Amino acid sequence: MPAVSGVSFEIGDEEFVAIVGPSGCGKSTILNMIGGLVAPTAGAIEIDGRPVSGVPANVGYVFQKDTVFPWRSVRRNIALGLEYRGIRGEAQARRVAAAVSMAGLEGFEDAFPATLSGGMRQRVALVRTLVVEPEILLMDEPFGALDLHTKLDLHAELLRLWGERRQTVVFITHDLSEAITLADRIVVMTRRPGRIKMVYDVKLPRPRDVIRLRETDEYLRAYGEIWHVLGEEFAREKAR
Amino acid sequence: MRYRGSVLFWQLLILVVLLASWEWLTGIKAISRTPGLYWIDPFFISRPSLIARRFVYLLSDRVRLNLWQMTLSTVQSTLWGFVVGVSTGFVAGLVLGRNDRLARIFAPYIVAFNSLPRIALVPLITMIFGFGLVAKIVLAWTIVFFIVFFNTFQGARSVDADLIHSARFLGASERQVMRTVIIPSALAWTFASLTPSISFALIGVVVGEFLGGESGGGLGYLIIQSLGTLNAADMMVALLTLGLIGIVMALGIKQVETRLLRWRPEYRKSA
């Protein structure tokens, strides 16, 4: 059985799209196809009208798992993308310093990842991806392993960073609140093989306050509506 | 570090008690009608005082090949065997670890050669390389190579695929992935094999020296020569020196390891 089937959608420039659905619905598979890690068995993924084959140059990827290199300090982790592009010396140091302050990691530049909390490591992973200025940002449940408080912190952080530079973001999550907090549009998937069940436009204005927005009518309405659809999926999953 | 003082105290106390009882026990004459019999015979295990005297004598210039020269010869061969073994084992481990086809092709040969008792190779190595330095290095190499190879191989294979993917997404070329992900990742495994490697290099060299004769020199030669003259004291001198070499080399490796693996939490305290 394929992981996803008949999934077709378009993502606009600088749009923030979240994909939610029950586990095993092929959310990650979609992301991996966009990122060129997995080739679709049928159909095509196109970025700017060109089909994806292999890892595209202008795409950044933030994994759920901790992918900060443990043998490199925070500074040298953030410098990775620049190093790969041959940007060294003064230019590299300047951009890394900017990224460090952007992520509020001042004072931790020379720390090794093992000494940092999970939230800080994910912060490093995020700015490490952003420092090379990707046009498209793929995020696979990047805050899935964090506690609620750290998660809210990073939501605010991500929204602020995204507000400054507006990448196109595809954000996978199974946390509905997270999806509503962050996204312009939410794609709700069915259980395996994943199909698109519903596309929801989040009408919350920006900039958003990650704490206060949860008390707004639009948040509650969105939550209720998507929850109802997801609930149907869970019920069908159980009935099988 | 806690207990440092008391640990050192007990260590020294044990050493002193050990040496004192050794000296005392080997001095007790047996009650027997045959004269010159000992309760514990220093002929076999010698005595600390005698060993100390032989130690000083062997260090002096009154012997043709003094202890200093022999130690140097053993250390030199061991280090060479270690360096050559580690570097070739590391490269081979990386290459085969990242190339499944090559790994499959070479697997039976590697297993076969590695299960060969290396000591059995000594006569052949001697036949090919003679009795000198090179033979000893080659013997150490045949052991060290495999220890490092297997560790690095395992390390190169178990590199986290997501780390490789993140490097690619950050724009890394194949070479850069190798340099910034696979090598550092595998190095942690390689380091774990260095301490046993230096011990085994020393074993290889000493075995080589057993057969190597005077031209090969070294502490192994001193041991064999002492066997010929039934001189337990000289043997003890060689053994103690070998023990010291082993400790110093292991400490040296520990230093390098602590420095290079300082990113690991278990190394941080000592760094």
Side-chain angles (χ1 to χ4, degrees):
Chain A
M1 180 157 56
V4 289
S5 165
V7 172
S8 174
F9 58 91
E10 238 173 83
I11 299 170
D13 214 17
E14 302 186 356
E15 193 182 6
F16 200 128
V17 173
I19 303 178
V20 296
S23 35
C25 71
K27 302 181 294 261
S28 298
T29 308
I30 296 176
L31 208 62
N32 287 340
M33 287 192 292
I34 303 174
L37 293 179
V38 176
T41 45
I45 308 278
E46 287 179 1
I47 295 177
D48 295 333
R50 277 191 300 275
V52 170
S53 70
V55 171
N58 54 350
V59 171
Y61 201 122
V62 182
F63 293 79
Q64 172 177 18
K65 229 175 68 197
D66 186 1
T67 54
V68 174
F69 293 5
W71 50 83
R72 281 180 170 238
S73 64
V74 167
R75 188 200 311 275
R76 303 228 307 133
N77 257 290
I78 295 175
L80 268 170
L82 301 170
E83 199 180 306
Y84 291 148
R85 284 164 178 73
I87 299 167
R88 280 167 222 289
E90 182 61 28
Q92 187 194 78
R94 207 178 49 241
R95 284 172 74 171
V96 170
V100 164
S101 74
M102 189 164 79
L105 288 163
E106 292 103 335
F108 294 94
E109 291 92 337
D110 295 311
F112 282 105
T115 61
L116 304 178
S117 67
M120 285 174 86
R121 281 206 292 271
Q122 222 37 342
R123 230 173 250 255
V124 174
L126 180 60
V127 289
R128 180 179 77 176
T129 306
L130 292 180
V131 82
V132 290
E133 297 172 4
E135 287 156 35
I136 299 168
L137 191 55
L138 306 178
M139 307 182 85
D140 188 3
E141 303 195 34
F143 311 137
L146 305 176
D147 62 87
L148 182 61
H149 183 86
T150 314
K151 215 173 189 180
L152 288 173
D153 246 18
L154 281 162
H155 286 161
E157 195 84 15
L158 176 61
L159 284 179
R160 189 172 60 77
L161 295 174
W162 179 73
E164 281 169 16
R165 220 174 262 139
R166 290 276 167 163
Q167 302 84 358
T168 304
V169 182
V170 185
F171 192 104
I172 304 284
T173 180
H174 57 247
D175 178 348
L176 190 46
S177 310
E178 183 171 64
I180 302 169
T181 304
L182 299 173
D184 297 319
R185 204 146 56 105
I186 299 173
V187 176
V188 183
M189 304 277 297
T190 67
R191 62 185 176 79
R192 199 177 181 100
R195 290 189 168 79
I196 294 175
K197 176 94 177 183
M198 166 197 204
V199 177
Y200 187 94
D201 279 298
V202 183
K203 288 174 209 63
L204 288 166
R206 295 186 189 273
R208 296 175 180 176
D209 178 332
V210 297
I211 311 279
R212 290 280 161 256
L213 71 76
R214 297 204 180 199
E215 298 162 3
T216 62
D217 291 339
E218 168 58 17
Y219 174 86
L220 295 171
R221 204 167 59 81
Y223 199 99
E225 218 171 292
I226 303 170
W227 185 254
H228 180 75
V229 172
L230 277 175
E232 282 174 15
E233 276 313 303
F234 291 136
R236 276 177 56 201
E237 180 75 26
K238 270 186 104 170
R240 254 180 357 132
Chain B
M1 212 191 294
R2 283 164 71 204
Y3 318 124
R4 179 168 246 169
S6 74
V7 165
L8 192 68
F9 168 76
W10 282 104
Q11 285 171 337
L12 284 173
L13 188 71
I14 289 171
L15 182 70
V16 169
V17 170
L18 216 68
L19 288 176
S21 38
W22 187 357
E23 184 74 27
W24 178 62
L25 286 170
T26 50
I28 304 172
K29 288 266 180 19
I31 305 162
S32 160
R33 251 166 281 159
T34 326
L37 273 191
Y38 286 85
W39 195 51
I40 294 172
D41 199 338
F43 175 80
F44 294 110
I45 63 164
S46 192
R47 316 180 64 182
S49 55
L50 194 60
I51 295 167
R53 238 174 296 143
R54 289 301 294 178
F55 189 80
V56 173
Y57 173 75
L58 285 172
L59 269 177
S60 71
D61 286 329
R62 279 178 288 166
V63 279
R64 189 142 40 103
L65 199 61
N66 71 26
L67 186 62
W68 186 240
Q69 289 166 307
M70 287 194 271
T71 304
L72 219 62
S73 163
T74 300
V75 169
Q76 196 189 12
S77 324
T78 305
L79 286 181
W80 271 112
F82 176 77
V83 168
V84 176
V86 168
S87 44
T88 51
F90 182 70
V91 171
L94 267 190
V95 171
L96 292 201
R98 296 311 299 175
N99 189 327
D100 212 39
R101 207 163 72 101
L102 278 184
R104 273 159 198 257
I105 293 170
F106 281 103
Y109 297 101
I110 288 164
V111 172
F113 194 82
N114 189 44
S115 41
L116 205 65
R118 247 34 68 76
I119 293 177
L121 287 177
V122 175
L124 185 68
I125 290 173
T126 309
M127 239 172 83
I128 300 171
F129 296 101
F131 290 105
L133 186 72
V134 180
K136 293 195 282 177
I137 294 171
V138 170
L139 189 59
W141 172 74
T142 60
I143 306 172
V144 172
F145 173 84
F146 288 98
I147 300 172
V148 174
F149 168 79
F150 283 119
N151 259 281
T152 309
F153 180 72
Q154 210 45 254
R157 293 202 130 188
S158 52
V159 177
D160 187 343
D162 281 345
L163 289 190
I164 297 176
H165 288 149
S166 354
R168 294 238 165 86
F169 276 110
L170 290 170
S173 64
E174 283 307 305
R175 277 180 84 116
Q176 287 169 325
V177 167
M178 181 55 107
R179 195 172 53 77
T180 59
V181 187
I182 293 162
I183 289 180
S185 201
L187 264 181
W189 288 69
T190 309
F191 276 123
S193 69
L194 292 190
T195 310
S197 286
I198 198 85
S199 313
F200 278 99
L202 196 56
I203 292 176
V205 165
V206 171
V207 169
E209 288 169 349
F210 279 175
L211 211 75
E214 203 182 326
S215 61
L219 294 163
Y221 170 67
L222 178 60
I223 292 175
I224 286 300
Q225 198 190 31
S226 315
L227 177 65
T229 56
L230 298 178
N231 186 342
D234 283 9
M235 250 187 232
M236 289 292 179
V237 168
L239 291 177
L240 288 174
T241 313
L242 281 172
L244 276 178
I245 293 174
I247 289 175
V248 170
M249 284 178 167
L251 283 178
I253 285 172
K254 191 88 208 147
Q255 284 290 316
V256 176
E257 197 177 309
T258 309
R259 166 113 198 87
L260 286 172
L261 294 184
R262 65 190 186 285
W263 52 271
R264 292 189 138 197
E266 62 265 34
Y267 284 95
R268 187 140 336 92
K269 270 171 234 118
S270 44

